[in-house]
């Protein structure tokens, strides 16, 4: 008899779990996804973790493995360049010493991360030559293995791939009962394994089981602009100092973002003040941008833990319920590898994730 698996949440974690489980014909997989506020489809899309200043070695190991996994998934499922493109990333710095430190870090990290590809230190003029949109370029470090991904297209591609095999999708919100039973619009459903890939919503979902997840929501907004000019497909992504990145996608789409708003809960309202601020950040890089070029303001909810690290795996007292959350601002990078590791666990019942995270119980406590 087929083993019945339910995945709750169709963001990057849920979609990747579904994709990897679709290779196993002994499994029947059902997904329930609400979709509202999903971080994945509202994300900026930068995959370039290697020059991060974060000191958490487990996070770095996970992010490095996630970035390395993308080209494999992209090739295996034949994704196009409008979904994922290794266009390279440029990290700029105003200070020459800071830039040199960054360059040395890149050279050092490449030894254990060959997927970083070519590393070059570029003058401001060379940065502008690679990214002609810029009117105020700074010197930077170019990493050819850096990439951009359209989170919405990536997950939809994987989900459609899985649907051709063993996945059935349902739209809508579900709840859990006290014992972890799945409660859907059509009543209680029984599954052998539940995968809770619900991002920032893990805390409310687990509460009926009297478990408190260490997860808080963070609002993120970005703007998308449609520019009159076109550019080559391999135009790199720009990561200046600060939080505002500059991501040219194919077909003249430019993304500027994103915000990190900690005091807004699950709010999904577009804020015109924030839109103004994002636009001003874009104009600092390209003085020719105009307001009427803004086509969309996107809003999503990220999930953060106390130590900013993601966690994933079976609940300590209920190994048939798996959780994943806390992916924060780098979840497009870590999401696919987390999805793969969870799918491996569903199929084998074994795991050793100590290189990637602290034990799951670190992020869970009893509500009593
Ligand atoms: C503005 C912004 C920019 C970002 N930029 C980047 C970037 O450049 N690079 C990067 O690596 N990361 C980036 N991120 C982070 C990344 O998007 C997230 O960390 C990642 O997408 C989280 O994936 P997830 O699958 O855990 O959660 P989500 O994508 O949020 O998916 C969770 C899904 O579960 C559903 N759900 C929740 N509760 C229920 C329920 N009870 N029943 C049914 N469905 C439910 C939700 O509706 C949602 O669809 C960005 C995020 C934002 C918001």
């Amino acid at each position: 008899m087929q083993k019945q698996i339910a995945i709750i949440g169709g963001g990057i974690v849920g979609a990747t779990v579904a994709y990897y489980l679709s290779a196993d014909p002994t499994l029947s997989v059902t997904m329930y996804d609400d979709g509202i506020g999903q971080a994945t489809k509202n994300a900026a899309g930068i995959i370039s973790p290697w020059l991060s200043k974060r000191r958490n070695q487990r996070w770095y190991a996970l992010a490095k493995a996630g970035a390395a996994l993308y080209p494999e998934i992209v090739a295996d499922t034949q994704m196009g360049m409008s979904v994922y493109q290794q266009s390279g990333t440029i990290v700029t710095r105003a200070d020459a010493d800071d830039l040199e430190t960054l360059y040395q870090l890149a050279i050092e990290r490449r030894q254990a991360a060959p997927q970083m590809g070519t590393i070059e230190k570029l003058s401001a003029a060379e940065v502008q030559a690679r990214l002609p949109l810029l009117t105020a370029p700074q010197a930077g470090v170019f990493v050819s293995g850096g990439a951009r991904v359209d989170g919405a297209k990536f997950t939809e591609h994987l989900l459609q791939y899985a649907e051709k095999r063993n996945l059935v999708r349902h739209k809508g919100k579900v709840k859990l009962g006290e014992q972890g039973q799945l409660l859907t619009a059509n009543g209680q459903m029984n599954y052998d394994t539940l995968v809770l890939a619900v991002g920032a919503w893990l805390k409310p979902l687990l509460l009926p089981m009297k478990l408190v997840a260490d997860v808080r929501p963070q609002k993120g907004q970005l703007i998308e602009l449609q520019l009159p000019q076109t550019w080559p497909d391999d135009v790199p992504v720009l990561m200046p100092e600060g939080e505002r990145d500059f991501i040219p996608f194919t077909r003249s789409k430019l993304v500027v973002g994103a915000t990190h708003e900690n005091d807004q809960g699950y709010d999904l309202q577009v804020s015109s003040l924030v839109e103004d601020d994002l636009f001003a950040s874009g104009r600092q890089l390209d003085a020719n941008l105009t307001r009427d070029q803004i086509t969309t303001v996107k809003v999503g909810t990220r999930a953060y833990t106390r130590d900013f690290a993601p966690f994933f795996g079976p609940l300590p007292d209920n190994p048939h319920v798996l959780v994943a959350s806390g992916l924060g601002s780098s979840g497009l990078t870590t999401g696919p590898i987390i999805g793969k590791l969870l799918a491996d666990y569903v199929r084998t019942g074994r795991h050793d994730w100590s290189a990637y995270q602290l034990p799951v119980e670190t992020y869970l406590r009893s509500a009593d």
Side-chain angles (χ1 to χ4, degrees):
M1 207 174 99
Q2 280 188 318
K3 211 171 146 189
Q4 308 287 322
I5 316 288
I7 302 171
I8 320 304
I12 196 148
V13 175
T16 324
V17 173
Y19 163 65
Y20 279 107
L21 292 183
S22 75
D24 188 337
T26 69
L27 304 176
S28 159
V29 184
T30 308
M31 174 174 282
Y32 297 88
D33 184 41
D34 176 30
I36 296 168
Q38 186 187 102
T40 301
K41 65 184 176 202
N42 293 299
I46 303 174
I47 308 299
S48 188
W50 309 285
L51 303 188
S52 168
K53 284 187 188 153
R54 290 181 67 168
R55 285 161 193 240
N56 183 332
Q57 289 303 314
R58 294 184 191 87
W59 169 82
Y60 181 66
L62 194 64
K64 193 172 75 155
L69 185 60
Y70 263 98
E72 199 180 300
I73 298 177
V74 165
D76 288 350
T77 64
Q78 294 162 358
M79 278 181 198
M81 272 188 311
S82 70
V83 183
Y84 171 88
Q85 165 81 341
Q86 249 172 333
S87 51
T89 41
I90 299 175
V91 184
T92 56
R93 288 289 176 268
D95 182 89
D97 291 343
D98 287 353
L99 188 70
E100 181 58 26
T101 306
L102 199 68
Y103 178 64
Q104 294 306 330
L105 177 71
I107 298 290
E108 184 195 317
R109 289 209 161 149
R110 190 181 47 187
Q111 289 174 22
Q115 62 274 14
M116 286 173 75
T118 314
I119 293 163
E120 293 169 72
K121 198 157 86 166
L122 304 177
S123 66
E126 287 167 331
V127 167
Q128 191 175 36
R130 305 263 172 121
L131 238 173
L133 284 175
L134 296 177
T135 51
Q138 287 182 333
V141 174
F142 174 75
V143 179
S144 72
R148 55 168 166 68
V149 64
D150 182 320
K153 287 186 184 168
F154 182 81
T155 47
E156 191 53 32
H157 190 89
L158 292 188
L159 289 170
Q160 286 184 12
Y161 189 95
E163 270 181 317
K164 291 190 188 125
R165 297 170 165 201
N166 62 4
L167 175 71
V168 175
R169 285 203 267 175
H170 298 287
K171 192 96 193 129
K173 192 171 177 142
V174 298
K175 291 183 180 170
L176 296 183
E178 224 171 289
Q179 309 299 324
Q181 319 89 300
L182 185 65
L183 310 174
T184 74
N186 296 322
Q188 183 176 324
M189 300 287 168
N190 297 318
Y191 290 94
D192 298 300
T193 302
L194 280 185
V195 182
L196 310 181
V198 292
W201 294 268
L202 186 63
K203 190 171 179 176
L205 188 64
L206 281 181
L207 271 181
M209 292 181 74
K210 301 208 171 357
L211 280 174
V212 181
D214 169 23
V215 176
R216 65 178 163 84
Q218 184 196 65
K219 182 175 177 181
Q221 301 185 63
L222 55 77
I223 52 173
E224 280 184 11
L225 302 98
Q226 193 68 40
L227 303 197
Q229 65 270 53
T230 55
W231 43 75
D233 287 333
D234 60 352
V235 159
V237 168
L238 184 77
M239 301 167 74
E241 268 166 318
E243 288 178 346
R244 302 293 155 77
D245 299 315
F246 195 77
I247 309 139
F249 277 84
T250 48
R251 301 206 185 94
S252 308
K253 182 173 98 177
L254 176 70
V255 170
V256 179
T259 64
H260 293 75
E261 300 166 60
N262 283 315
D263 49 0
Q264 303 289 317
Y266 294 95
D267 176 53
L268 294 173
Q269 291 289 319
V270 168
S271 150
S272 56
L273 280 178
V274 170
E275 185 180 338
D276 290 347
D277 191 43
L278 286 165
F279 179 66
S281 302
R283 286 264 299 211
Q284 277 173 14
L285 299 163
D286 177 355
N288 299 317
L289 297 182
T290 57
R291 282 301 292 238
D292 60 351
Q293 290 167 342
I294 299 177
T295 54
T296 321
V297 183
K298 286 189 166 181
V299 188
T301 310
R302 303 183 189 90
Y304 273 93
T305 56
R306 208 177 327 123
D307 63 358
F308 304 97
F311 64 94
F312 53 95
L315 290 180
D317 295 331
N318 194 338
H320 302 294
V321 179
L322 315 188
V323 295
S325 186
L327 278 68
S329 56
S330 53
L332 287 189
T333 313
T334 55
I337 184 71
I338 291 174
K340 181 177 192 299
L341 294 171
L342 287 175
D344 287 347
Y345 173 76
V346 170
R347 295 171 67 185
T348 65
R350 292 188 303 274
H351 70 78
D352 176 10
W353 299 324
S354 52
Y356 294 133
Q357 64 164 355
L358 293 171
V360 163
E361 45 268 44
T362 313
Y363 303 95
L364 298 168
R365 66 176 167 84
S366 163
D368 293 331

